[in-house]
């Protein structure tokens, strides 16, 4: 028996009923203290809701009149209906239950009889009899057929209908069942079971698949995590190894002093790593790190200069550094300050191993194509158009190079150094025509002077003598160096008769003003003295010992120094 003395099951209930699944469960919490209001005498809406009571229910259901004892149901005009409708339902006391004749299962009171219509809305029927059709035959009873609806669920257990599954979710589900994702080999673990046994264990098979899916997903996740960890550990290990190699490991290196011979040119302004790369490309050292390490260990390693070096193949880095610091390996060609181009051409021919006169012939034939500045082109009556533009410095000159390439580098270096002095602006300030005149004056000062102080005073001597109205030389420079240049010599024992009789534009004893061009290659110090001369009134100078010079402002003072020089020569 069920609660309230009902039978073993509930009455059939069609889902088309508006209160399908609600009213029956609301009856589980009926309060016995509340009296059952007869049909048509219900309480106003809002009362009794906590007992599951719905005032609209009675109006919606077509109950048979004979199922109720309320006279108002059979006769809508019953006068007592209007009178009792507005009466508020009160909780009945025990004595009221006795008066109403309702039985309640409480000591001292008559037992209340259970009315099935409380939950089903149907008239009470004898126990054990076939239930009548609550719908009057209008609707068939579907509970006795295979298509019967499931029994109603309590409100607290009801679930929303499952949402429709989209196609892509279905495809994803099928894809996950593929052996590639589930980790299965495509064979069922129950293949050895008899036919039909798999369907008999359908529920367990589904659970097994779910477990396999979870296991496969967990396995894939673990695999991904493992790969990430392995990759991270591998990366850390690689960089750790590289760090260890850089800090403690020995770089690849050759052994011994090497063999054969190779010439390597090191450009200006490069550091240890650049030098190491050049040596490695030429097969001298095995690795850049080995050379840099050897250079840092050598106390003089930082003194490696730009130039051409004659080295050997496959040398140890230590041997390469030592050889580059030795003058024996250096193939650089150094031009001293004041040297004439004739001397430079001869040395280049020797370094390149070419026939004497080759470089000088290239200089005269290709002077316009070697990079001279615009203000140096088109000059007439020049002995050498490149004179003054082979700047004194160190140059890489070795066999296999072309003379024009070597000359082009020297001219480029001259342009670079001259550009630092802003010669065009200085020429205007000093009263000369162009930078060409300044380079020519610098070559004269370089040839006659011996120190920086000499350069500044000699530059003033030149500027003072160039003035046409000067009372000392009347516009003549009278420099012995200009005569020696045109003669191709370097004598100091020259007579005034010899100097003043030689007719040549370079002879400043014969012609006023500057010579047609420079007479040598001045250095930066001489050029600095030219652009920043003294202003003390010097006109004359003489060197008594060949190392220092003495300056005077008058010819009489100069003659005294000349007599002193001649006396020292005769002793």
């Amino acid at each position: 028996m069920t609660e309230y003395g009902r039978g073993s099951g509930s009455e059939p209930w069609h889902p088309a009923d508006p209160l399908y699944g609600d009213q029956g469960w609301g009856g589980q919490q009926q309060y016995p203290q509340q009296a059952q209001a007869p049909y048509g005498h219900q309480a106003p809406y809002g009362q009794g809701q906590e007992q599951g009571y719905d005032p609209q229910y009675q109006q919606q259901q077509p109950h048979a009149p004979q199922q109720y004892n309320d006279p108002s149901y059979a006769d809508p005009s019953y006068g007592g209906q209007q009178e009792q409708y507005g009466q508020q339902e009160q909780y009945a006391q025990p004595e009221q239950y006795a008066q109403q004749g309702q039985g309640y299962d409480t000591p001292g009171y008559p037992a209340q009889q259970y009315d099935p219509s409380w939950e089903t809305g149907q008239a009470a029927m004898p126990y054990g009899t076939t239930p009548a059709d609550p719908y009057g035959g209008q609707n068939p009873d579907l509970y006795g057929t295979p298509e019967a609806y499931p029994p109603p669920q309590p409100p607290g257990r009801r679930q929303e209908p499952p949402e429709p599954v989209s196609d892509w979710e279905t495809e994803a589900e099928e894809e996950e069942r593929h052996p590639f994702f589930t980790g299965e080999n495509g064979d069922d673990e129950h293949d050895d079971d008899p036919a039909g046994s798999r369907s008999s264990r359908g529920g367990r098979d589904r659970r097994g698949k779910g477990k396999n899916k979870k296991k496969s997903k967990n396995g894939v996740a673990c695999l991904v995590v493992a790969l990430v960890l392995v990759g991270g550990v591998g990366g850390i290990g690689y960089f750790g190894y590289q760090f260890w190699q850089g800090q403690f490991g020995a770089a690849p290196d050759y052994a011994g002093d090497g063999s054969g011979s190779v010439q390597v040119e090191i450009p200006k302004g490069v550091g240890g790593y650049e030098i190491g790369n050049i040596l490695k490309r030429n097969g001298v050292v095995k690795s850049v790190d080995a050379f840099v390490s050897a250079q840092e260990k050598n106390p003089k390693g930082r003194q490696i200069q730009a130039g051409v070096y004659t080295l050997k193949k496959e040398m140890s880095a230590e041997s390469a550094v030592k050889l580059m610091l030795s003058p024996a390996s250096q193939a650089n060609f150094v031009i001293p300050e004041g040297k004439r181009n004739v001397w430079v051409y001869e040395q280049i021919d020797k370094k390149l191993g070419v026939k004497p006169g080759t470089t000088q012939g290239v200089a005269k034939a290709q002077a316009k194509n070697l990079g001279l500045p615009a203000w140096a082109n088109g000059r007439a009556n020049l002995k050498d158009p490149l004179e003054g533009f082979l700047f004194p410095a160190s140059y890489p000159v070795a066999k296999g190079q072309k003379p024009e390439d070597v000359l082009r580098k020297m001219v480029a270096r001259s342009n670079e150094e001259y550009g630092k002095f802003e010669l065009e602006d200085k020429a205007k300030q000093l009263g000369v025509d162009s930078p060409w005149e300044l380079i020519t004056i610098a070559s004269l000062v370089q040839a006659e002077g011996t120190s920086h102080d000499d350069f500044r005073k000699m530059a003033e001597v030149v500027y003072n003598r160039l003035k046409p109205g000067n009372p000392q030389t009347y516009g003549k420079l009278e420099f012995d160096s200009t005569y020696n240049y045109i003669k191709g010599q370097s004598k100091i024992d020259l007579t005034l008769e010899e100097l003043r009789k030689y007719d040549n534009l370079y002879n400043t004893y014969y012609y006023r003003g500057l010579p047609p061009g420079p007479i040598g290659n001045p250095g930066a110090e001489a050029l600095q003295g030219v652009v920043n001369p003294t202003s003390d009134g010097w006109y004359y100078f003489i060197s008594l010992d060949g190392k220092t010079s003495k300056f005077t402002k008058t010819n009489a003072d100069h003659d005294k120094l000349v007599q002193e020089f001649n006396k020292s020569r005769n002793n």
Side-chain angles (χ1 to χ4, degrees):
M1 298 293 290
T2 60
E3 57 182 351
Y4 296 109
R6 289 185 301 176
S8 59
S10 61
E11 296 293 336
W13 199 353
H14 197 279
D17 194 332
L19 296 181
Y20 169 71
D22 286 338
Q23 186 175 0
W25 292 102
Q28 292 181 2
Q29 297 181 1
Q30 296 287 343
Y31 292 91
Q33 297 90 335
Q34 183 177 355
Q36 177 71 21
Y39 188 85
H41 296 272
Q42 66 270 26
Y45 181 76
Q47 297 189 17
Q49 291 182 355
E50 61 183 358
Q51 288 84 11
Y53 179 79
D54 189 350
Q56 297 179 356
Y57 176 76
Q58 302 294 346
Q59 298 177 7
Q60 294 175 356
Q61 297 300 324
H63 297 292
Q66 64 273 15
Q67 295 175 350
Y68 297 90
N69 297 321
D70 191 346
S72 61
Y73 183 85
D75 188 2
S77 62
Y78 179 70
Q81 179 180 4
Q82 184 68 20
E83 179 181 357
Q84 297 180 5
Y85 181 82
Q87 295 180 358
Q88 184 174 1
E89 182 180 3
Q90 303 293 333
Y91 287 99
Q93 298 298 326
E95 57 271 8
Q96 293 176 338
Y97 279 91
Q99 296 175 3
Q100 293 177 0
Q102 295 178 350
Y104 186 73
D105 200 9
T106 302
Y109 298 97
Q112 181 182 1
Q113 299 298 325
Y114 170 72
D115 188 356
S117 64
W118 289 356
E119 296 185 12
T120 63
Q122 297 180 356
M125 292 177 289
Y127 179 79
T129 60
T130 304
D133 186 1
Y135 302 99
Q138 299 296 327
N139 293 313
D141 182 7
L142 301 178
Y143 287 98
T145 64
E147 294 83 6
Y149 291 99
Q153 295 291 331
R157 299 190 210 171
R158 293 177 191 165
Q159 299 179 353
E160 296 294 332
E163 297 181 358
V165 180
S166 60
D167 295 339
W168 67 269
E169 290 178 340
T170 304
E171 294 176 358
E173 181 73 15
E174 294 177 356
E175 182 179 352
E176 290 183 354
R177 293 197 185 99
H178 194 277
F180 178 81
F181 296 97
T182 61
E184 300 176 358
N185 57 4
D187 297 332
D188 196 284
E189 61 181 353
H190 303 290
D191 283 346
D192 55 347
D193 292 347
S197 62
R198 189 178 307 174
S199 61
S200 64
R201 296 191 302 268
R204 192 180 70 174
D205 288 346
R206 285 193 295 271
R207 289 194 297 270
K209 291 182 179 179
K211 292 180 180 179
N212 291 337
K213 185 185 298 183
K214 291 181 180 179
K215 290 181 180 179
S216 64
K217 290 182 179 179
N218 293 336
V220 172
C222 292
L223 178 61
V224 172
V225 173
L227 291 176
V228 172
L229 292 176
V230 170
V233 172
I236 294 174
Y238 172 78
F239 287 108
Y241 174 76
Q242 294 294 326
F243 176 79
W244 185 88
Q245 282 288 99
Q247 297 294 325
F248 309 104
D253 195 5
Y254 292 121
D257 297 333
S259 60
S261 178
V262 59
Q263 286 188 332
V264 179
E265 181 178 353
I266 304 300
K268 180 182 178 181
V270 299
Y273 282 96
E274 290 83 354
I275 296 175
N277 276 310
I278 294 173
L279 298 181
K280 182 180 179 181
R281 287 197 300 268
N282 286 271
V284 178
V285 298
K286 191 170 185 178
S287 68
V288 177
D289 291 338
F291 175 81
V292 173
S293 177
Q295 185 186 27
E296 292 177 351
K297 292 178 180 179
N298 193 307
K300 298 182 180 180
R302 300 286 183 177
Q303 299 179 7
I304 297 177
Q305 302 293 326
V308 176
Y309 295 85
T310 301
L311 304 174
K312 296 180 180 180
K313 291 279 191 177
E314 298 185 358
M315 303 179 66
S316 67
E318 182 181 0
S319 299
V321 172
K322 290 181 179 179
L323 187 57
M324 294 182 75
L325 292 173
S326 173
S329 68
Q330 299 175 6
N332 292 355
F333 171 50
V334 179
I335 302 177
E337 288 85 350
K339 286 293 184 179
R340 301 168 186 167
N341 281 5
V342 173
W343 180 88
V344 176
Y345 296 147
E346 292 175 355
Q347 298 301 316
I348 293 176
D349 289 342
K350 292 178 181 179
K351 291 288 184 178
L352 298 181
V354 297
K355 184 179 179 181
T358 301
T359 304
Q360 185 175 14
V362 171
K364 290 182 178 179
Q366 302 185 24
K368 296 181 179 180
N369 301 325
L370 297 177
L372 289 172
W375 46 264
N377 288 317
R379 300 289 173 170
N381 304 316
L382 297 178
K383 181 182 179 181
D384 187 344
L386 294 184
E387 195 74 66
F389 288 91
L390 305 181
F391 191 80
S394 177
Y395 297 94
V397 181
K399 292 181 180 180
Q401 293 180 302
K402 296 180 179 181
E404 54 268 30
D405 294 336
V406 176
L407 295 174
R408 189 174 289 108
K409 289 181 180 180
M410 295 179 177
V411 173
R413 179 68 178 274
S414 298
N415 294 335
E416 179 183 353
E417 297 295 333
Y418 294 161
K420 298 176 182 179
F421 293 95
E422 300 180 353
L423 296 180
E424 294 186 6
D425 294 337
K426 292 294 184 179
K428 296 178 181 179
Q429 296 175 11
L430 297 170
V432 297
D433 294 337
S434 69
W436 178 264
E437 283 73 24
L438 294 180
I439 300 299
T440 303
I441 296 172
S443 68
L444 298 174
V445 170
Q446 184 75 68
E448 298 286 352
T450 57
S451 65
H452 180 69
D453 290 338
D454 287 352
F455 295 152
R456 294 189 65 208
K457 293 177 180 179
M458 286 182 181
E460 183 187 357
V461 170
V462 173
Y463 290 129
N464 287 336
R465 290 186 181 187
L466 287 176
K467 296 176 182 179
N470 76 81
Q472 301 295 326
T473 62
Y474 302 99
K476 288 185 178 180
L477 294 180
E478 294 183 349
F479 275 29
D480 294 355
S481 56
T482 60
Y483 179 84
N484 286 330
Y485 174 76
I486 196 64
K487 286 289 188 177
Q489 61 186 22
S490 297
K491 294 181 179 181
I492 57 175
D493 296 331
L494 299 172
T495 64
L496 289 176
E497 183 180 5
E498 180 184 0
L499 291 171
R500 290 175 179 172
K501 287 182 179 180
Y502 185 68
D503 183 3
N504 191 282
L505 292 175
Y506 278 90
N507 185 8
T508 57
Y509 279 93
Y510 197 92
Y511 289 94
R512 289 183 175 88
L514 292 171
I519 63 173
N521 293 286
E525 194 173 7
L527 191 59
Q528 182 64 41
V530 168
V531 299
N532 188 28
T534 61
S535 57
D536 299 329
W538 307 116
Y539 272 91
Y540 302 93
F541 63 91
I542 188 174
S543 177
L544 301 177
D545 57 2
K547 297 178 181 180
T548 60
S549 302
K550 292 186 177 183
F551 294 85
T552 60
K553 299 178 182 179
T554 64
N555 189 41
D557 294 338
H558 178 66
D559 287 341
K560 292 179 182 180
L561 294 176
V562 171
Q563 292 175 8
E564 183 180 351
F565 174 75
N566 291 334
K567 186 184 291 186
S568 65
R569 292 284 305 275
N570 294 331
N571 293 334

